[in-house]
Amino acid sequence: AQKITQTQPGMFVQEKEAVTLDCTYDTSDQSYGLFWYKQPSSGEMIFLIYQGSYDEQNATEGRYSLNFQKARKSANLVISASQLGDSAMYFCAMREGYFGTDKLIFGTGTRLQVFP
Amino acid sequence: NAGVTQTPKFQVLKTGQSMTLQCAQDMNHEYMSWYRQDPGMGLRLIHYSVGAGITDQGEVPNGYNVSRSTTEDFPLRLLSAAPSQTSVYFCASSDRGEDTEAFFGQGTRLTVV
């Protein structure tokens, strides 16, 4: 069965430093998509970045990058130059199959706190 | 741009009551789904739909019904509310495609007493 594991319940990082949030996944599918979402204290889910299983290059979106290691089944989120506004819950998620069905499997999340 | 709109934002129910959580999207997305978020457990899929008239169960469907008569709307019905259904509920939609993200509504915080 597909599964997402986030082993870091909480992380602290100083402002302007980089931080890596870990995510490992388990699937027998050859085609899948990996997502990271941010959930601030206000509660909404904000899409950050996507990586497809066939993408050879790591995805990047501004200060966010995804360190995709397919053989190790890991999809870590790297946030560079952390800002106070990055304090939030971060969820890693996997989509079953390659095309959208909205069937996302989520990890339990990592709470990131950025301090001055 | 409205995106995905959920109503209500907050709701308190008594055990045994029924209600419908509304979800509407204006992006003409084919795919819609409902998730619940409980502390320490991330989001779990309740039901999903790949188009009007087509629905299927997710990981935690018991106690919930859905239907999709139009592309835009995907209501979630609680048949007989139980305290175990106290949660935050999210509706999401996405377009067909390999790298399409799911757009989420603002969530509905439901408390069953």
Side-chain angles (χ1 to χ4, degrees):
Chain A
Q2 285 88 345
K3 185 178 181 181
I4 294 284
T5 302
Q6 294 180 256
T7 58
Q8 307 156 314
M11 291 284 286
F12 288 90
V13 65
Q14 190 167 28
E15 197 176 9
K16 300 180 185 177
E17 296 295 312
V19 62
T20 298
L21 305 184
D22 294 340
C23 172
T24 58
Y25 60 92
D26 189 16
T27 181
S28 55
D29 287 348
Q30 296 300 309
S31 299
Y32 50 89
L34 296 158
F35 300 79
W36 278 91
Y37 282 86
K38 172 184 178 181
Q39 187 178 44
S41 58
S42 52
E44 70 267 33
M45 297 291 288
I46 301 168
F47 166 74
L48 296 178
I49 197 166
Y50 165 84
Q51 179 86 40
S53 59
Y54 293 118
D55 296 341
E56 295 186 351
Q57 291 192 331
N58 289 340
T60 59
E61 291 284 350
R63 294 187 298 111
Y64 304 108
S65 61
L66 200 152
N67 185 359
F68 182 47
Q69 298 188 42
K70 193 171 182 178
R72 298 180 62 182
K73 293 189 174 179
S74 74
N76 298 339
L77 178 69
V78 180
I79 305 174
S80 63
S82 297
Q83 301 172 356
L84 296 178
D86 294 335
S87 294
M89 282 290 288
Y90 288 81
F91 290 98
C92 181
M94 178 169 61
R95 169 175 285 157
E96 297 181 337
Y98 205 52
F99 293 94
T101 62
D102 264 7
K103 289 179 65 178
L104 291 172
I105 300 160
F106 284 83
T108 53
T110 296
R111 181 171 300 281
L112 176 66
Q113 297 190 53
V114 182
F115 59 93
Chain B
N1 293 334
V4 180
T5 302
Q6 288 183 237
T7 55
K9 288 188 170 54
F10 301 93
Q11 182 70 49
V12 179
L13 285 179
K14 292 182 179 180
T15 298
Q17 286 184 318
S18 62
M19 80 160 294
T20 300
L21 306 184
Q22 301 292 344
C23 176
Q25 53 95 3
D26 62 358
M27 297 172 282
N28 203 32
H29 286 167
E30 292 185 64
Y31 304 135
M32 296 186 74
S33 53
W34 278 100
Y35 296 84
R36 61 177 288 174
Q37 182 178 22
D38 300 300
M41 298 189 73
L43 279 74
R44 292 181 294 167
L45 182 65
I46 304 172
H47 285 287
Y48 68 99
S49 169
V50 297
I54 306 169
T55 63
D56 206 346
Q57 297 180 351
E59 180 186 357
V60 288
N62 292 340
Y64 308 95
N65 272 359
V66 292
S67 61
R68 183 130 178 243
S69 56
T70 68
T71 300
E72 295 78 20
D73 300 301
F74 191 44
L76 178 72
R77 298 182 188 84
L78 280 69
L79 307 174
S80 177
S84 61
Q85 294 178 303
T86 294
S87 188
V88 179
Y89 292 84
F90 286 97
C91 178
S93 75
S94 72
D95 206 352
R96 181 190 292 267
E98 2 182 292
D99 60 349
T100 56
E101 77 223 51
F103 292 82
F104 285 83
Q106 294 290 326
T108 296
R109 185 174 293 276
L110 175 69
T111 302
V112 182
V113 298

